[in-house]
Amino acid sequence: MSGLNLKLSLFFFLSCVLGIVSAQLSSDFYATSCPLALTTIKAAVASAVLQEARMGASLLRLHFHDCFVQGCDASILLDDTSTFTGEKTAFQNVNSVRGYDVIDNIKYQLEVSCPGVVSCADIVAVAARDSVVALGGPSWTVQLGRRDSTTASLSSANSDLPAPSLDLSALITVFANKGFTAKEMVALSGAHTIGKSQCANFRTRIYNETNIDSSYAKTLEGICPSVGGDSNLTNFDPTTPDSFDNAYFKNLLGNKGLLHSDQQLFNGGSTDSQVTAYSDNLASFRDDFAYAMIKMGNLNPLVGSNGQIRTNCRKVN
């Protein structure tokens, strides 16, 4: 290769690299434009979780349900209008996903101190991390600089979010479609060590499945009758429901997974060994969960001039 061609190749290579780098997120994105952004979010989340521990799980789930549809772009926060259909009425979101008011409160505070600077998508991502920390879980560095979408997809929300009825092979596929390995899928499922689920999501399991501890099933029958009570709630983890630990995996070993999809992770399949490993090693689960959350936060973010910074998270500017 001639010297000129080599220089041209190097130029184009560096241009591509710099272009990629400029489009990436960074941990100090708001360091000068809104230096109190992270402390504002942390304080609001800590207050919300202190009032109701379940809110920690809800804010974590809100981030997950946002990122799995169109990427981490706050599309899930958009309200329906007469001319716009959002994602809030998707099968896995309607009457289930919550925490919108907490995000609204944080956004209001940031609009007062730093108007038009901090995206709703970044607020959701940071709130998820701070919620886990508030309940005793691991921390991780949240990369920032996402922008908010002006669109949403009800159809993608209905097709891309995992349902509680999925078998292991389907779960692996759903997560693989987003770039996650089976190991990462198991780690992310460990989020069910906190939070609650509605009777409608686990009724079929407790009345029709055999791979469930009999005494556990009997207890759940008292919460979830065979008919009615669809919205009755119970903890995913019956032992330490408000602590982000590895009890979820220990429960699976005893056939005490609440959802069908939970117990599928330990049911004679390819992920049994990973569940066992996490049940034995809390540190390993914490590390892998944090890594997987960083990866999830990088799912197709809008950056640069794409999208917008919504002044109201519920509607486009």
Side-chain angles (χ1 to χ4, degrees):
M1 180 180 290
S2 69
L4 178 59
N5 287 336
L6 180 59
K7 289 180 180 179
L8 286 174
S9 297
L10 182 59
F11 172 79
F12 286 120
F13 171 76
L14 289 175
S15 296
C16 291
V17 169
L18 290 174
I20 292 172
V21 171
S22 67
Q24 298 305 304
L25 309 175
S26 64
S27 60
D28 59 353
F29 189 82
Y30 299 112
T32 57
S33 60
C34 193
L36 295 180
L38 296 184
T39 55
T40 299
I41 298 171
K42 182 178 181 179
V45 169
S47 175
V49 174
L50 183 62
Q51 293 179 48
E52 181 196 13
R54 182 190 172 203
M55 186 55 69
S58 297
L59 291 171
L60 174 59
R61 186 165 179 253
L62 185 63
H63 181 43
F64 168 56
H65 281 226
D66 179 36
C67 293
F68 258 53
V69 182
Q70 295 191 168
C72 305
D73 60 0
S75 60
I76 194 173
L77 303 180
L78 292 170
D79 284 340
D80 289 355
T81 69
S82 59
T83 59
F84 178 88
T85 302
E87 299 164 10
K88 290 183 176 179
T89 57
F91 301 137
Q92 303 307 319
N93 292 336
V94 66
N95 299 322
S96 175
V97 172
R98 53 200 296 275
Y100 300 118
D101 290 345
V102 176
I103 301 300
D104 288 341
N105 173 50
I106 294 170
K107 181 62 174 174
Y108 173 79
Q109 293 183 57
L110 292 176
E111 283 300 304
V112 170
S113 58
C114 313
V117 174
V118 183
S119 70
C120 301
D122 276 346
I123 293 172
V124 171
V126 175
R129 188 272 310 275
D130 291 346
S131 293
V132 171
V133 172
L135 293 174
S139 184
W140 59 90
T141 300
V142 178
Q143 299 298 304
L144 303 165
R146 301 168 189 79
R147 289 169 65 83
D148 302 323
S149 69
T150 57
T151 63
S153 177
L154 178 62
S155 61
S156 294
N158 281 326
S159 63
D160 292 4
L161 293 169
S165 59
L166 293 185
D167 291 334
L168 180 61
S169 60
L171 287 169
I172 291 174
T173 297
V174 167
F175 280 82
N177 288 341
K178 302 299 179 181
F180 292 100
T181 65
K183 180 180 180 181
E184 291 166 343
M185 181 268 289
V186 174
L188 289 173
S189 297
H192 283 181
T193 195
I194 55 175
K196 299 175 183 288
S197 187
Q198 296 181 347
C199 165
N201 293 325
F202 58 86
R203 175 184 286 116
T204 298
R205 168 155 168 73
I206 63 176
Y207 288 103
N208 295 289
E209 298 183 11
T210 58
N211 60 340
I212 184 170
D213 178 82
S214 58
S215 61
Y216 179 54
K218 196 68 177 177
T219 298
L220 292 176
E221 288 174 9
I223 300 167
C224 182
S226 58
V227 177
D230 284 3
S231 61
N232 292 353
L233 293 167
T234 196
N235 296 312
F236 277 109
D237 171 15
T239 54
T240 53
D242 297 332
S243 177
F244 197 96
D245 53 25
N246 61 342
Y248 168 77
F249 299 106
K250 296 179 180 180
N251 293 333
L252 294 184
L253 297 185
N255 285 336
K256 294 181 181 180
L258 180 62
L259 306 180
H260 174 83
S261 56
D262 288 324
Q263 196 59 55
Q264 284 292 294
L265 302 184
F266 189 82
N267 193 43
S270 60
T271 55
D272 281 16
S273 60
Q274 194 59 55
V275 170
T276 300
Y278 286 151
S279 72
D280 290 336
N281 193 326
L282 173 60
S284 176
F285 164 54
R286 289 170 61 93
D287 289 345
D288 289 353
F289 181 83
Y291 172 83
M293 287 299 296
I294 292 173
K295 185 172 178 178
M296 188 173 74
N298 288 332
L299 287 177
N300 301 316
L302 296 173
V303 294
S305 60
N306 296 315
Q308 61 181 212
I309 305 298
R310 290 188 221 135
T311 56
N312 180 337
C313 291
R314 293 176 179 265
K315 61 183 182 180
V316 299
N317 295 341

